[in-house]
Amino acid sequence: MFDNLSERLESAFKQLKGEGRISEINVATTIKEIRRALVDADVNFKIAKEFTDTVKEKALGEKVLTAVSPGQLMVKIVKDELALLMGGDASELDIKNKPTIILIAGLQGSGKTTFSGKLANYLKTKQGRNPLLVAADVYRPAAMDQLQVLADQIKVPVYIDRETKDAVQIAKDAVAQAKRDGNSIVIIDTAGRLAVDEAMMQEVAQIKAAVNPNEILFVVDSMTGQDAVNTAKAFNDRLDFTGVVLTKLDGDTRGGAALSIKYTVQKPIKFVSMGEKLDTLDVFYPERMAQRILGMGDITTLVERAQAQFDEVQAKKLEKKIRANKFDFEDFKEQLNQIKKMGNIKDLLAMIPGVGKAIKDIDISDDAFKGIEAMINSMTPFERNNPERIDASRRKRIAKGSGKEIADVNAFMKQFEQMKQMMGQMNKMKGMGGMPSLPGMPFGK
Amino acid sequence: MGFFNKLFGLNKEQKESLDQGLEKTKTNFFSKIAKALVGKDTVDEEVLDQLEEALIGADVGLNTTVAIINKIESRIKNEKFIRTAALNQVLKEEVMAVLTDAPSHEFETFNLPKDKKPYVLLVVGVNGVGKTTTIGKLAYNFKKNGKQVMLGAADTFRAAAVDQLTIWSERVGVPIVKKEMGSDPSAVAFEAVQQAIAKEVDILIIDTAGRLHNKAHLMEELSKIKRVISKQLPDAPHEVLLVLDGSTGQNALEQAKHFTAATQITALAITKLDGTAKGGIVLGIANQFNIPVKYIGVGERMEDLQIFHKEAFVDSIIG
């Protein structure tokens, strides 16, 4: 994410290398590069201009301390400014009311329905709430079916009324039902609409007036171009929304829309949404996003994802086995599953500082582990528990069973042995607790 | 209006619908340049700066904008000066020069080449650009033009995608080939092509699941769908249509790049141009990839999916 922007900024900062003080002359090219990078990342050109003017003002005359290079100093100034622009501290949902009513609005195809499902899942699993999803899109064919399918997947009740063709009435009825049934949250998924479509904008304004929502979330595709500013402004003028949701953030490049929207409407970005798995919804942290933009990685989110999937009992068991040097293929498979649960592997790797850029053009699919899994699955339970007993004829069978060459199996066995050895060495180092890393993991086989 | 007919290949109604759809774009674009033009006879730096901002603001992209501005600049040098009154014409000419011509004019009225039957049209794109809606409208327009249409529901992934396409098939009154959710999209494509051949339809339009272009395994799935189709009909798919959201920014270039690598995109459809978005990405893509735009969506109605005519488009944007 934002890979290009970070790269462009990096190259821009290189030009400052070796200078002792930031001056009008040496900063001019850098500023221009930053502006170009921002525009290339779909930041609105006017906002990019204002932003770089501010950065320039702050940077000029800054004394470069011996400890930091001018480039590093500029990074800091730009980062601070970006974080400031994207809005102070993390902003949480206001869900004190009972029931809390959340209205979801946005353009067609921005990902409202998928986000509604994710939000319901998030509030149910992470906050222990009992949400009701409401299908208030009476226009798009099968929109109601889509929400129904998602609701079934996450086991959340859904309010669907196929007879009433009036979205305002549906919203009202749904809220009444939620009050009766004791749902603590009502999430109203509305139809996609263009900001210039007067009748449709009126409809959503009427829904707002009818149910008086506690939160109105404006959902926007993070790939949106220069027009993000106009759309956000038009929706905000009409709905005075309480927060922004950035979707499809697992695509490559840009995200400039995030800056533009925040700058224009001054409303917090509350969530970022990636992927189609219903459990990949992240709270938006401006500071982290600024770090990402500057290629500093997003290690905090990575750690949180790891923690969310971390099973302490399992880990203790594993640690014991490693200490006894008894790590086997069953454990290995378990570890793979843990990693896979954390989400898309490329996304995960991209969060590690410095890695994002390096893997930009490398294809790492979620299937990266498939070959390895196939080989492990082709082993008998005895073989999995006793890796050292896997001889030539067993290897031959495993290769056949997994559709691999014997050479692949041999290579995998060798890597596994090396990994075990390394774990053994780690054992000898005192005070090393927690989860073992997985060295020599073969990707892309 | 006879003149328009000839010039743009559109009837009066179509041109009006296009103008209406792109009205927001036009107003916005011109109000910007108009300010710089006040009280001036000739085009100067300030006017060019405004023009540059207007193009970037329309999502044309930095590289393509610079290319267009440079061309106008060199014309100013060669022709000594350009009167502000002529700026429109010059701008139109340069923008037109960037746009790629569609390879064939057979499609101007939703016609199909006679020697390709069934004509297989594979529709691809990222999530939420409007693939299924575009297919519904394409089906309507081809049918209206007397063609036998069949739909293939190979988006077996997104919740209720098959239902959505089924509703469209009922609305338009064309047959649909589908399997249950979660089945192999290649298998759906395979069966759809078989049935299209057996039932001797004129055109088979295949829907695929939205996918972000940086997900390698999903792009590989698309290549596989294409291979499966080619195995049954050697020259099919005859058209691979990449649907782009008109409000997408520079990421559209990445989309074009990756989808082309996976399936050799032959044409583009740009949707949602009836908002305030400018669809300037059309220029950026034409400039860098030489892929022609074939269809544009300028409104909700079935008729609002139009065959793209660059003259009419440029005329509607620049005026």
PDB file of all heavy atoms in Angstrom, chain B residues 47-81:
ATOM      1  N   VAL B  47      -2.343  30.625 -18.526  1.00  0.00           N
ATOM      2  CA  VAL B  47      -3.413  29.819 -19.113  1.00  0.00           C
ATOM      3  C   VAL B  47      -2.993  28.343 -19.144  1.00  0.00           C
ATOM      4  O   VAL B  47      -3.765  27.449 -18.805  1.00  0.00           O
ATOM      5  CB  VAL B  47      -3.752  30.310 -20.539  1.00  0.00           C
ATOM      6  CG1 VAL B  47      -4.770  29.389 -21.191  1.00  0.00           C
ATOM      7  CG2 VAL B  47      -4.293  31.726 -20.487  1.00  0.00           C
ATOM      8  N   LEU B  48      -1.736  28.119 -19.524  1.00  0.00           N
ATOM      9  CA  LEU B  48      -1.244  26.743 -19.589  1.00  0.00           C
ATOM     10  C   LEU B  48      -1.223  26.095 -18.201  1.00  0.00           C
ATOM     11  O   LEU B  48      -1.543  24.917 -18.056  1.00  0.00           O
ATOM     12  CB  LEU B  48       0.153  26.702 -20.207  1.00  0.00           C
ATOM     13  CG  LEU B  48       0.203  26.908 -21.728  1.00  0.00           C
ATOM     14  CD1 LEU B  48       1.634  26.885 -22.227  1.00  0.00           C
ATOM     15  CD2 LEU B  48      -0.631  25.874 -22.462  1.00  0.00           C
ATOM     16  N   ASP B  49      -0.827  26.892 -17.208  1.00  0.00           N
ATOM     17  CA  ASP B  49      -0.841  26.373 -15.828  1.00  0.00           C
ATOM     18  C   ASP B  49      -2.248  25.946 -15.422  1.00  0.00           C
ATOM     19  O   ASP B  49      -2.451  24.888 -14.829  1.00  0.00           O
ATOM     20  CB  ASP B  49      -0.336  27.442 -14.844  1.00  0.00           C
ATOM     21  CG  ASP B  49       1.182  27.475 -14.789  1.00  0.00           C
ATOM     22  OD1 ASP B  49       1.808  26.590 -15.420  1.00  0.00           O
ATOM     23  OD2 ASP B  49       1.731  28.385 -14.133  1.00  0.00           O
ATOM     24  N   GLN B  50      -3.225  26.801 -15.747  1.00  0.00           N
ATOM     25  CA  GLN B  50      -4.614  26.488 -15.420  1.00  0.00           C
ATOM     26  C   GLN B  50      -5.059  25.224 -16.142  1.00  0.00           C
ATOM     27  O   GLN B  50      -5.749  24.382 -15.583  1.00  0.00           O
ATOM     28  CB  GLN B  50      -5.526  27.652 -15.829  1.00  0.00           C
ATOM     29  CG  GLN B  50      -5.409  28.864 -14.937  1.00  0.00           C
ATOM     30  CD  GLN B  50      -5.880  28.578 -13.523  1.00  0.00           C
ATOM     31  OE1 GLN B  50      -6.828  27.860 -13.319  1.00  0.00           O
ATOM     32  NE2 GLN B  50      -5.176  29.119 -12.540  1.00  0.00           N
ATOM     33  N   LEU B  51      -4.635  25.133 -17.390  1.00  0.00           N
ATOM     34  CA  LEU B  51      -4.994  23.986 -18.201  1.00  0.00           C
ATOM     35  C   LEU B  51      -4.418  22.717 -17.581  1.00  0.00           C
ATOM     36  O   LEU B  51      -5.074  21.682 -17.483  1.00  0.00           O
ATOM     37  CB  LEU B  51      -4.449  24.184 -19.618  1.00  0.00           C
ATOM     38  CG  LEU B  51      -4.934  23.208 -20.677  1.00  0.00           C
ATOM     39  CD1 LEU B  51      -6.435  23.212 -20.765  1.00  0.00           C
ATOM     40  CD2 LEU B  51      -4.326  23.581 -22.022  1.00  0.00           C
ATOM     41  N   GLU B  52      -3.160  22.840 -17.130  1.00  0.00           N
ATOM     42  CA  GLU B  52      -2.492  21.697 -16.504  1.00  0.00           C
ATOM     43  C   GLU B  52      -3.271  21.254 -15.266  1.00  0.00           C
ATOM     44  O   GLU B  52      -3.525  20.063 -15.072  1.00  0.00           O
ATOM     45  CB  GLU B  52      -1.067  22.086 -16.122  1.00  0.00           C
ATOM     46  CG  GLU B  52      -0.264  20.929 -15.563  1.00  0.00           C
ATOM     47  CD  GLU B  52       1.172  21.302 -15.237  1.00  0.00           C
ATOM     48  OE1 GLU B  52       1.734  22.167 -15.935  1.00  0.00           O
ATOM     49  OE2 GLU B  52       1.717  20.741 -14.275  1.00  0.00           O
ATOM     50  N   GLU B  53      -3.645  22.224 -14.451  1.00  0.00           N
ATOM     51  CA  GLU B  53      -4.406  21.888 -13.239  1.00  0.00           C
ATOM     52  C   GLU B  53      -5.741  21.240 -13.586  1.00  0.00           C
ATOM     53  O   GLU B  53      -6.171  20.284 -12.942  1.00  0.00           O
ATOM     54  CB  GLU B  53      -4.648  23.144 -12.386  1.00  0.00           C
ATOM     55  CG  GLU B  53      -3.432  23.533 -11.592  1.00  0.00           C
ATOM     56  CD  GLU B  53      -3.767  24.502 -10.454  1.00  0.00           C
ATOM     57  OE1 GLU B  53      -4.960  24.802 -10.261  1.00  0.00           O
ATOM     58  OE2 GLU B  53      -2.825  24.944  -9.780  1.00  0.00           O
ATOM     59  N   ALA B  54      -6.385  21.766 -14.624  1.00  0.00           N
ATOM     60  CA  ALA B  54      -7.684  21.222 -15.013  1.00  0.00           C
ATOM     61  C   ALA B  54      -7.542  19.769 -15.466  1.00  0.00           C
ATOM     62  O   ALA B  54      -8.362  18.917 -15.135  1.00  0.00           O
ATOM     63  CB  ALA B  54      -8.296  22.062 -16.123  1.00  0.00           C
ATOM     64  N   LEU B  55      -6.478  19.485 -16.221  1.00  0.00           N
ATOM     65  CA  LEU B  55      -6.276  18.117 -16.709  1.00  0.00           C
ATOM     66  C   LEU B  55      -5.965  17.168 -15.556  1.00  0.00           C
ATOM     67  O   LEU B  55      -6.507  16.074 -15.466  1.00  0.00           O
ATOM     68  CB  LEU B  55      -5.152  18.076 -17.758  1.00  0.00           C
ATOM     69  CG  LEU B  55      -5.502  18.685 -19.123  1.00  0.00           C
ATOM     70  CD1 LEU B  55      -4.260  18.824 -19.990  1.00  0.00           C
ATOM     71  CD2 LEU B  55      -6.539  17.845 -19.853  1.00  0.00           C
ATOM     72  N   ILE B  56      -5.084  17.613 -14.654  1.00  0.00           N
ATOM     73  CA  ILE B  56      -4.755  16.772 -13.495  1.00  0.00           C
ATOM     74  C   ILE B  56      -5.996  16.560 -12.638  1.00  0.00           C
ATOM     75  O   ILE B  56      -6.260  15.454 -12.179  1.00  0.00           O
ATOM     76  CB  ILE B  56      -3.606  17.399 -12.673  1.00  0.00           C
ATOM     77  CG1 ILE B  56      -2.288  17.192 -13.409  1.00  0.00           C
ATOM     78  CG2 ILE B  56      -3.523  16.764 -11.281  1.00  0.00           C
ATOM     79  CD1 ILE B  56      -1.101  17.876 -12.789  1.00  0.00           C
ATOM     80  N   GLY B  57      -6.758  17.628 -12.480  1.00  0.00           N
ATOM     81  CA  GLY B  57      -7.990  17.531 -11.702  1.00  0.00           C
ATOM     82  C   GLY B  57      -9.020  16.602 -12.321  1.00  0.00           C
ATOM     83  O   GLY B  57      -9.946  16.153 -11.669  1.00  0.00           O
ATOM     84  N   ALA B  58      -8.843  16.310 -13.611  1.00  0.00           N
ATOM     85  CA  ALA B  58      -9.758  15.401 -14.298  1.00  0.00           C
ATOM     86  C   ALA B  58      -9.220  13.974 -14.289  1.00  0.00           C
ATOM     87  O   ALA B  58      -9.711  13.118 -15.004  1.00  0.00           O
ATOM     88  CB  ALA B  58      -9.988  15.876 -15.731  1.00  0.00           C
ATOM     89  N   ASP B  59      -8.179  13.716 -13.478  1.00  0.00           N
ATOM     90  CA  ASP B  59      -7.560  12.390 -13.382  1.00  0.00           C
ATOM     91  C   ASP B  59      -6.810  11.959 -14.636  1.00  0.00           C
ATOM     92  O   ASP B  59      -6.614  10.772 -14.872  1.00  0.00           O
ATOM     93  CB  ASP B  59      -8.595  11.303 -13.029  1.00  0.00           C
ATOM     94  CG  ASP B  59      -9.021  11.367 -11.571  1.00  0.00           C
ATOM     95  OD1 ASP B  59      -8.147  11.605 -10.723  1.00  0.00           O
ATOM     96  OD2 ASP B  59     -10.208  11.194 -11.294  1.00  0.00           O
ATOM     97  N   VAL B  60      -6.404  12.921 -15.448  1.00  0.00           N
ATOM     98  CA  VAL B  60      -5.658  12.564 -16.652  1.00  0.00           C
ATOM     99  C   VAL B  60      -4.279  11.999 -16.268  1.00  0.00           C
ATOM    100  O   VAL B  60      -3.705  11.183 -16.981  1.00  0.00           O
ATOM    101  CB  VAL B  60      -5.516  13.783 -17.590  1.00  0.00           C
ATOM    102  CG1 VAL B  60      -4.589  13.491 -18.754  1.00  0.00           C
ATOM    103  CG2 VAL B  60      -6.886  14.186 -18.110  1.00  0.00           C
ATOM    104  N   GLY B  61      -3.772  12.401 -15.136  1.00  0.00           N
ATOM    105  CA  GLY B  61      -2.476  11.886 -14.679  1.00  0.00           C
ATOM    106  C   GLY B  61      -1.339  12.805 -15.087  1.00  0.00           C
ATOM    107  O   GLY B  61      -1.405  13.506 -16.097  1.00  0.00           O
ATOM    108  N   LEU B  62      -0.276  12.763 -14.284  1.00  0.00           N
ATOM    109  CA  LEU B  62       0.833  13.688 -14.457  1.00  0.00           C
ATOM    110  C   LEU B  62       1.517  13.529 -15.813  1.00  0.00           C
ATOM    111  O   LEU B  62       1.694  14.494 -16.558  1.00  0.00           O
ATOM    112  CB  LEU B  62       1.832  13.439 -13.331  1.00  0.00           C
ATOM    113  CG  LEU B  62       2.539  14.636 -12.752  1.00  0.00           C
ATOM    114  CD1 LEU B  62       1.546  15.718 -12.359  1.00  0.00           C
ATOM    115  CD2 LEU B  62       3.341  14.205 -11.533  1.00  0.00           C
ATOM    116  N   ASN B  63       1.879  12.303 -16.151  1.00  0.00           N
ATOM    117  CA  ASN B  63       2.649  12.072 -17.382  1.00  0.00           C
ATOM    118  C   ASN B  63       1.899  12.496 -18.627  1.00  0.00           C
ATOM    119  O   ASN B  63       2.426  13.199 -19.483  1.00  0.00           O
ATOM    120  CB  ASN B  63       3.035  10.595 -17.502  1.00  0.00           C
ATOM    121  CG  ASN B  63       4.038  10.206 -16.433  1.00  0.00           C
ATOM    122  OD1 ASN B  63       4.752  11.071 -15.912  1.00  0.00           O
ATOM    123  ND2 ASN B  63       4.066   8.932 -16.101  1.00  0.00           N
ATOM    124  N   THR B  64       0.646  12.055 -18.700  1.00  0.00           N
ATOM    125  CA  THR B  64      -0.148  12.368 -19.888  1.00  0.00           C
ATOM    126  C   THR B  64      -0.438  13.863 -19.955  1.00  0.00           C
ATOM    127  O   THR B  64      -0.410  14.456 -21.036  1.00  0.00           O
ATOM    128  CB  THR B  64      -1.465  11.562 -19.870  1.00  0.00           C
ATOM    129  OG1 THR B  64      -1.141  10.197 -19.604  1.00  0.00           O
ATOM    130  CG2 THR B  64      -2.187  11.668 -21.181  1.00  0.00           C
ATOM    131  N   THR B  65      -0.692  14.484 -18.807  1.00  0.00           N
ATOM    132  CA  THR B  65      -0.945  15.920 -18.774  1.00  0.00           C
ATOM    133  C   THR B  65       0.271  16.688 -19.293  1.00  0.00           C
ATOM    134  O   THR B  65       0.151  17.555 -20.163  1.00  0.00           O
ATOM    135  CB  THR B  65      -1.255  16.384 -17.326  1.00  0.00           C
ATOM    136  OG1 THR B  65      -2.438  15.738 -16.899  1.00  0.00           O
ATOM    137  CG2 THR B  65      -1.445  17.888 -17.274  1.00  0.00           C
ATOM    138  N   VAL B  66       1.444  16.311 -18.779  1.00  0.00           N
ATOM    139  CA  VAL B  66       2.668  16.978 -19.222  1.00  0.00           C
ATOM    140  C   VAL B  66       2.854  16.797 -20.730  1.00  0.00           C
ATOM    141  O   VAL B  66       3.206  17.732 -21.445  1.00  0.00           O
ATOM    142  CB  VAL B  66       3.890  16.442 -18.431  1.00  0.00           C
ATOM    143  CG1 VAL B  66       5.186  16.927 -19.052  1.00  0.00           C
ATOM    144  CG2 VAL B  66       3.796  16.876 -16.976  1.00  0.00           C
ATOM    145  N   ALA B  67       2.559  15.598 -21.231  1.00  0.00           N
ATOM    146  CA  ALA B  67       2.698  15.339 -22.666  1.00  0.00           C
ATOM    147  C   ALA B  67       1.784  16.254 -23.477  1.00  0.00           C
ATOM    148  O   ALA B  67       2.201  16.835 -24.489  1.00  0.00           O
ATOM    149  CB  ALA B  67       2.395  13.866 -22.958  1.00  0.00           C
ATOM    150  N   ILE B  68       0.539  16.396 -23.020  1.00  0.00           N
ATOM    151  CA  ILE B  68      -0.415  17.240 -23.753  1.00  0.00           C
ATOM    152  C   ILE B  68       0.013  18.710 -23.702  1.00  0.00           C
ATOM    153  O   ILE B  68       0.021  19.410 -24.716  1.00  0.00           O
ATOM    154  CB  ILE B  68      -1.853  17.068 -23.184  1.00  0.00           C
ATOM    155  CG1 ILE B  68      -2.375  15.663 -23.476  1.00  0.00           C
ATOM    156  CG2 ILE B  68      -2.800  18.109 -23.780  1.00  0.00           C
ATOM    157  CD1 ILE B  68      -3.701  15.319 -22.794  1.00  0.00           C
ATOM    158  N   ILE B  69       0.395  19.166 -22.510  1.00  0.00           N
ATOM    159  CA  ILE B  69       0.808  20.560 -22.351  1.00  0.00           C
ATOM    160  C   ILE B  69       2.043  20.862 -23.214  1.00  0.00           C
ATOM    161  O   ILE B  69       2.114  21.890 -23.893  1.00  0.00           O
ATOM    162  CB  ILE B  69       1.120  20.882 -20.864  1.00  0.00           C
ATOM    163  CG1 ILE B  69      -0.146  20.729 -20.008  1.00  0.00           C
ATOM    164  CG2 ILE B  69       1.710  22.287 -20.715  1.00  0.00           C
ATOM    165  CD1 ILE B  69      -1.196  21.795 -20.194  1.00  0.00           C
ATOM    166  N   ASN B  70       2.997  19.929 -23.221  1.00  0.00           N
ATOM    167  CA  ASN B  70       4.195  20.135 -24.040  1.00  0.00           C
ATOM    168  C   ASN B  70       3.850  20.299 -25.513  1.00  0.00           C
ATOM    169  O   ASN B  70       4.431  21.126 -26.213  1.00  0.00           O
ATOM    170  CB  ASN B  70       5.169  18.961 -23.873  1.00  0.00           C
ATOM    171  CG  ASN B  70       5.917  19.048 -22.557  1.00  0.00           C
ATOM    172  OD1 ASN B  70       5.883  20.100 -21.887  1.00  0.00           O
ATOM    173  ND2 ASN B  70       6.552  17.966 -22.162  1.00  0.00           N
ATOM    174  N   LYS B  71       2.914  19.499 -25.967  1.00  0.00           N
ATOM    175  CA  LYS B  71       2.516  19.581 -27.377  1.00  0.00           C
ATOM    176  C   LYS B  71       1.900  20.944 -27.678  1.00  0.00           C
ATOM    177  O   LYS B  71       2.197  21.561 -28.696  1.00  0.00           O
ATOM    178  CB  LYS B  71       1.519  18.475 -27.711  1.00  0.00           C
ATOM    179  CG  LYS B  71       2.209  17.197 -28.091  1.00  0.00           C
ATOM    180  CD  LYS B  71       1.204  16.254 -28.704  1.00  0.00           C
ATOM    181  CE  LYS B  71       1.869  14.946 -29.092  1.00  0.00           C
ATOM    182  NZ  LYS B  71       0.865  13.898 -29.297  1.00  0.00           N
ATOM    183  N   ILE B  72       1.034  21.396 -26.774  1.00  0.00           N
ATOM    184  CA  ILE B  72       0.402  22.701 -26.998  1.00  0.00           C
ATOM    185  C   ILE B  72       1.458  23.799 -26.947  1.00  0.00           C
ATOM    186  O   ILE B  72       1.447  24.722 -27.769  1.00  0.00           O
ATOM    187  CB  ILE B  72      -0.718  22.949 -25.956  1.00  0.00           C
ATOM    188  CG1 ILE B  72      -1.838  21.917 -26.164  1.00  0.00           C
ATOM    189  CG2 ILE B  72      -1.272  24.370 -26.075  1.00  0.00           C
ATOM    190  CD1 ILE B  72      -2.990  22.039 -25.199  1.00  0.00           C
ATOM    191  N   GLU B  73       2.399  23.639 -26.034  1.00  0.00           N
ATOM    192  CA  GLU B  73       3.478  24.633 -25.927  1.00  0.00           C
ATOM    193  C   GLU B  73       4.282  24.732 -27.214  1.00  0.00           C
ATOM    194  O   GLU B  73       4.593  25.819 -27.693  1.00  0.00           O
ATOM    195  CB  GLU B  73       4.399  24.260 -24.754  1.00  0.00           C
ATOM    196  CG  GLU B  73       4.388  25.305 -23.664  1.00  0.00           C
ATOM    197  CD  GLU B  73       5.156  24.852 -22.424  1.00  0.00           C
ATOM    198  OE1 GLU B  73       5.393  23.637 -22.254  1.00  0.00           O
ATOM    199  OE2 GLU B  73       5.514  25.724 -21.640  1.00  0.00           O
ATOM    200  N   SER B  74       4.598  23.585 -27.766  1.00  0.00           N
ATOM    201  CA  SER B  74       5.403  23.617 -28.984  1.00  0.00           C
ATOM    202  C   SER B  74       4.605  24.159 -30.159  1.00  0.00           C
ATOM    203  O   SER B  74       5.141  24.793 -31.068  1.00  0.00           O
ATOM    204  CB  SER B  74       6.002  22.243 -29.292  1.00  0.00           C
ATOM    205  OG  SER B  74       5.001  21.370 -29.722  1.00  0.00           O
ATOM    206  N   ARG B  75       3.300  23.948 -30.108  1.00  0.00           N
ATOM    207  CA  ARG B  75       2.463  24.549 -31.157  1.00  0.00           C
ATOM    208  C   ARG B  75       2.457  26.067 -31.028  1.00  0.00           C
ATOM    209  O   ARG B  75       2.454  26.787 -32.026  1.00  0.00           O
ATOM    210  CB  ARG B  75       1.033  24.011 -31.078  1.00  0.00           C
ATOM    211  CG  ARG B  75       0.897  22.694 -31.809  1.00  0.00           C
ATOM    212  CD  ARG B  75      -0.496  22.168 -31.754  1.00  0.00           C
ATOM    213  NE  ARG B  75      -1.434  22.914 -32.593  1.00  0.00           N
ATOM    214  CZ  ARG B  75      -2.608  22.422 -32.960  1.00  0.00           C
ATOM    215  NH1 ARG B  75      -2.981  21.219 -32.571  1.00  0.00           N
ATOM    216  NH2 ARG B  75      -3.423  23.135 -33.709  1.00  0.00           N
ATOM    217  N   ILE B  76       2.452  26.519 -29.762  1.00  0.00           N
ATOM    218  CA  ILE B  76       2.481  27.964 -29.554  1.00  0.00           C
ATOM    219  C   ILE B  76       3.767  28.548 -30.131  1.00  0.00           C
ATOM    220  O   ILE B  76       3.765  29.589 -30.773  1.00  0.00           O
ATOM    221  CB  ILE B  76       2.353  28.298 -28.048  1.00  0.00           C
ATOM    222  CG1 ILE B  76       0.964  27.907 -27.562  1.00  0.00           C
ATOM    223  CG2 ILE B  76       2.618  29.781 -27.787  1.00  0.00           C
ATOM    224  CD1 ILE B  76       0.750  28.086 -26.076  1.00  0.00           C
ATOM    225  N   LYS B  77       4.845  27.812 -29.926  1.00  0.00           N
ATOM    226  CA  LYS B  77       6.135  28.278 -30.465  1.00  0.00           C
ATOM    227  C   LYS B  77       6.099  28.320 -31.990  1.00  0.00           C
ATOM    228  O   LYS B  77       6.495  29.292 -32.613  1.00  0.00           O
ATOM    229  CB  LYS B  77       7.253  27.351 -29.999  1.00  0.00           C
ATOM    230  CG  LYS B  77       8.028  27.943 -28.822  1.00  0.00           C
ATOM    231  CD  LYS B  77       9.208  27.071 -28.469  1.00  0.00           C
ATOM    232  CE  LYS B  77       9.508  27.192 -26.984  1.00  0.00           C
ATOM    233  NZ  LYS B  77      10.006  25.946 -26.404  1.00  0.00           N
ATOM    234  N   ASN B  78       5.629  27.227 -32.583  1.00  0.00           N
ATOM    235  CA  ASN B  78       5.626  27.126 -34.042  1.00  0.00           C
ATOM    236  C   ASN B  78       4.668  28.099 -34.702  1.00  0.00           C
ATOM    237  O   ASN B  78       4.993  28.723 -35.706  1.00  0.00           O
ATOM    238  CB  ASN B  78       5.251  25.700 -34.469  1.00  0.00           C
ATOM    239  CG  ASN B  78       6.360  24.730 -34.140  1.00  0.00           C
ATOM    240  OD1 ASN B  78       7.522  25.134 -33.968  1.00  0.00           O
ATOM    241  ND2 ASN B  78       6.012  23.467 -34.021  1.00  0.00           N
ATOM    242  N   GLU B  79       3.488  28.209 -34.122  1.00  0.00           N
ATOM    243  CA  GLU B  79       2.473  29.054 -34.754  1.00  0.00           C
ATOM    244  C   GLU B  79       2.504  30.459 -34.160  1.00  0.00           C
ATOM    245  O   GLU B  79       1.534  31.190 -34.243  1.00  0.00           O
ATOM    246  CB  GLU B  79       1.100  28.403 -34.578  1.00  0.00           C
ATOM    247  CG  GLU B  79       1.007  27.028 -35.224  1.00  0.00           C
ATOM    248  CD  GLU B  79      -0.213  26.224 -34.757  1.00  0.00           C
ATOM    249  OE1 GLU B  79      -1.199  26.848 -34.355  1.00  0.00           O
ATOM    250  OE2 GLU B  79      -0.152  24.983 -34.811  1.00  0.00           O
ATOM    251  N   LYS B  80       3.648  30.776 -33.503  1.00  0.00           N
ATOM    252  CA  LYS B  80       3.873  32.085 -32.855  1.00  0.00           C
ATOM    253  C   LYS B  80       2.939  32.310 -31.663  1.00  0.00           C
ATOM    254  O   LYS B  80       3.357  32.396 -30.539  1.00  0.00           O
ATOM    255  CB  LYS B  80       3.721  33.235 -33.860  1.00  0.00           C
ATOM    256  CG  LYS B  80       4.781  33.248 -34.929  1.00  0.00           C
ATOM    257  CD  LYS B  80       6.178  33.421 -34.355  1.00  0.00           C
ATOM    258  CE  LYS B  80       7.215  33.221 -35.442  1.00  0.00           C
ATOM    259  NZ  LYS B  80       8.404  32.495 -34.947  1.00  0.00           N
ATOM    260  N   PHE B  81       1.687  32.376 -31.880  1.00  0.00           N
ATOM    261  CA  PHE B  81       0.783  32.435 -30.736  1.00  0.00           C
ATOM    262  C   PHE B  81      -0.536  31.778 -31.107  1.00  0.00           C
ATOM    263  O   PHE B  81      -0.861  31.600 -32.263  1.00  0.00           O
ATOM    264  CB  PHE B  81       0.547  33.877 -30.280  1.00  0.00           C
ATOM    265  CG  PHE B  81      -0.087  34.744 -31.324  1.00  0.00           C
ATOM    266  CD1 PHE B  81      -1.465  34.714 -31.530  1.00  0.00           C
ATOM    267  CD2 PHE B  81       0.683  35.592 -32.101  1.00  0.00           C
ATOM    268  CE1 PHE B  81      -2.057  35.508 -32.486  1.00  0.00           C
ATOM    269  CE2 PHE B  81       0.088  36.386 -33.071  1.00  0.00           C
ATOM    270  CZ  PHE B  81      -1.267  36.348 -33.261  1.00  0.00           C
TER     271      PHE B  81
END
